[in-house]
Amino acid sequence: MPKQTFFNLPQEKRRRLLKAGFEEFSRAPAMDASISNIIKLAEIPRGSFYQYFEDKYDLQAYLVMQFSQKWYQTWLDLLQAHQGDFFAAVPCLFKNVLDTVLDEKNNAFWKNTFFQFRNSKEMRKAIHQQRRSKHDDGRKLIDQRKLRIKLTEHNYGLLNRQISTMMIQSINMYFMAEHLQADDPYQEAIQNFDTLLNWLQFGIQAEGGNADD
């Protein structure tokens, strides 16, 4: 999480620092990114960077969370548009996330971020630390009559983490398919996510099946 000194900066200076970080993390994964490049682009003294962020992973995690906050608002809007139908709203959210990730101005940043997330415990730790805040508005908007579980705060947290994992997995598979020059990696990502969501919604065990059969 940024230090308070970052939030005390004038808005233009905060914007310049975040833009510099976004450009550098678009150039290279955080493990290879240069703080020297960031401070040069942001036009700040080197020592002052550590007055605002713990390290470069902290800055990248904050940039990721800026996107997450926008997606959370999209999630609330989609739940309202679908009258609280969780399984109708989720595919729309995934498409919105995927389209944002693959947008020309965001694509390099996210490709490097997903690579970094897979390969860096520092990045995973920074993301975890910045995800501490609880969002309960979404839970209140869900029509729980359409679910087979009681949507307690704990269960909602578990469900959110499951959906997030499925999204990350599907987007990772997009980048893998793109690297392998698949015919239509975008549609493949949509289909992969729909399959995972279908398994979550309806289960994979045959009717009447059990472990003892």
Side-chain angles (χ1 to χ4, degrees):
M1 188 71 178
K3 300 176 182 178
Q4 186 57 46
T5 47
F6 171 78
F7 296 107
N8 292 340
L9 288 172
Q11 183 177 0
E12 174 56 25
K13 194 168 184 178
R14 292 201 308 270
R15 186 199 66 79
R16 200 165 65 237
L17 180 51
L18 294 178
K19 183 173 183 291
F22 185 84
E23 290 182 11
E24 179 61 11
F25 297 131
S26 297
R27 184 193 68 82
M31 66 175 68
D32 299 320
S34 166
I35 290 179
S36 296
N37 287 346
I38 294 172
I39 63 175
K40 182 178 179 180
L41 287 168
E43 301 176 355
I44 61 172
R46 181 177 183 86
S48 65
F49 178 87
Y50 294 101
Q51 295 176 20
Y52 309 135
F53 294 93
E54 291 292 338
D55 51 33
K56 58 187 178 181
Y57 301 104
D58 193 28
L59 171 57
Q60 188 183 31
Y62 184 66
L63 287 167
V64 169
M65 296 312 294
Q66 297 303 293
F67 281 93
S68 296
Q69 289 174 6
K70 294 177 183 177
W71 287 327
Y72 181 68
Q73 184 56 55
T74 299
W75 172 235
L76 299 182
D77 294 341
L78 286 169
L79 281 174
Q80 291 180 319
H82 290 278
Q83 293 80 49
D85 189 329
F86 180 87
F87 285 102
V90 168
C92 298
L93 177 63
F94 177 68
K95 187 176 185 303
N96 181 279
V97 171
L98 184 61
D99 288 344
T100 302
V101 166
L102 301 184
D103 185 275
E104 184 178 358
K105 66 179 182 293
N106 301 325
N107 185 263
F109 172 83
W110 280 106
K111 184 178 292 187
N112 288 334
T113 297
F114 272 94
F115 173 83
Q116 185 70 36
F117 191 79
R118 291 195 304 269
N119 294 281
S120 170
K121 63 181 181 181
E122 290 88 353
M123 179 60 183
R124 292 194 295 273
K125 180 180 178 182
I127 291 287
H128 176 72
Q129 289 175 338
Q130 294 200 28
R131 290 181 63 180
R132 289 177 178 172
S133 60
K134 295 180 180 179
H135 297 297
D136 203 43
D137 294 340
R139 182 168 69 97
K140 295 174 183 176
L141 289 173
I142 293 172
D143 184 352
Q144 299 190 36
R145 295 171 299 177
K146 296 183 178 181
L147 301 177
R148 292 199 298 265
I149 62 170
K150 184 175 178 60
L151 208 59
T152 61
E153 182 178 311
H154 175 73
N155 287 346
Y156 183 58
L158 289 176
L159 189 57
N160 268 344
R161 285 192 288 275
Q162 181 62 38
I163 294 296
S164 296
T165 299
M166 290 161 51
M167 288 187 177
I168 291 170
Q169 179 181 349
S170 299
I171 294 173
N172 267 325
M173 292 174 73
Y174 166 87
F175 285 125
M176 190 179 304
E178 181 187 51
H179 178 72
L180 295 173
Q181 299 182 333
D183 291 337
D184 192 349
Y186 179 87
Q187 194 57 41
E188 189 174 321
I190 295 290
Q191 291 174 351
N192 286 335
F193 183 78
D194 286 347
T195 296
L196 293 171
L197 187 63
N198 183 276
W199 290 350
L200 177 65
Q201 183 175 7
F202 300 109
I204 61 174
Q205 180 172 290
E207 185 175 351
N210 59 65
D212 297 326
D213 288 347

